[in-house]
Amino acid sequence: VQLQASGGGFGQAGGSLRLSCTASGDTFRDYAIGWFRQAPGKEREFVACVSWRGGATAYGDSEVGRRVSISRDNTKNTVYLQMNGLRSEDTAVYYCAGYSSSGFPHRLASEYDIWGQGTLVTVSS
């Protein structure tokens, strides 16, 4: 499975963006999918993840976890990250990643097996 993140770009403070993570291959359902972000000079941060069939979700403990919503559509091999109430501190590269091991949720980047290339989100105030 290969992942491709998209939907990044410029957003206005207070606005919304929806990121997409689309997978190639027919084993997408075998992977739980998470979103991470990395701002310049900062460590990669867990944002949210969704379970294999979409029945369970988990969000990061930071403030961003309260402003995003993750969902997946296995018929389209796609996971979405809806971001609301954008802030300048949301400016970062957003990565989607997947893991096929057991257990949910996984919040550490090291627990993910596959990664997309990242999509840049820039929020202007």
Side-chain angles (χ1 to χ4, degrees):
V1 173
Q2 292 185 324
L3 303 178
Q4 182 169 356
S6 62
F10 291 94
Q12 292 285 335
S16 299
L17 280 176
R18 189 177 77 163
L19 307 183
S20 298
C21 177
T22 303
S24 61
D26 57 4
T27 60
F28 180 64
R29 292 179 179 81
D30 294 341
Y31 289 84
I33 301 295
W35 284 96
F36 291 78
R37 70 180 185 179
Q38 189 164 19
K42 295 189 176 181
E43 294 185 353
R44 194 163 295 191
E45 175 187 16
F46 170 75
V47 178
C49 63
V50 61
S51 62
W52 302 266
R53 297 183 179 182
T57 58
Y59 295 92
D61 294 333
S62 67
E63 183 274 335
V64 68
R66 293 188 287 274
R67 293 186 288 109
V68 302
S69 177
I70 189 170
S71 61
R72 71 188 291 164
D73 185 344
N74 284 344
T75 66
K76 297 181 179 179
N77 277 14
T78 301
V79 169
Y80 304 100
L81 184 72
Q82 178 68 41
M83 303 177 62
N84 301 316
L86 291 172
R87 304 181 178 185
S88 58
E89 51 264 41
D90 293 326
T91 295
V93 177
Y94 285 73
Y95 299 90
C96 61
Y99 68 89
S100 57
S101 58
S102 60
F104 184 86
H106 286 182
R107 299 172 181 267
L108 299 178
S110 60
E111 297 176 302
Y112 286 73
D113 308 311
I114 56 175
W115 288 82
Q117 86 287 2
T119 185
L120 177 62
V121 171
T122 303
V123 181
S124 59
S125 57

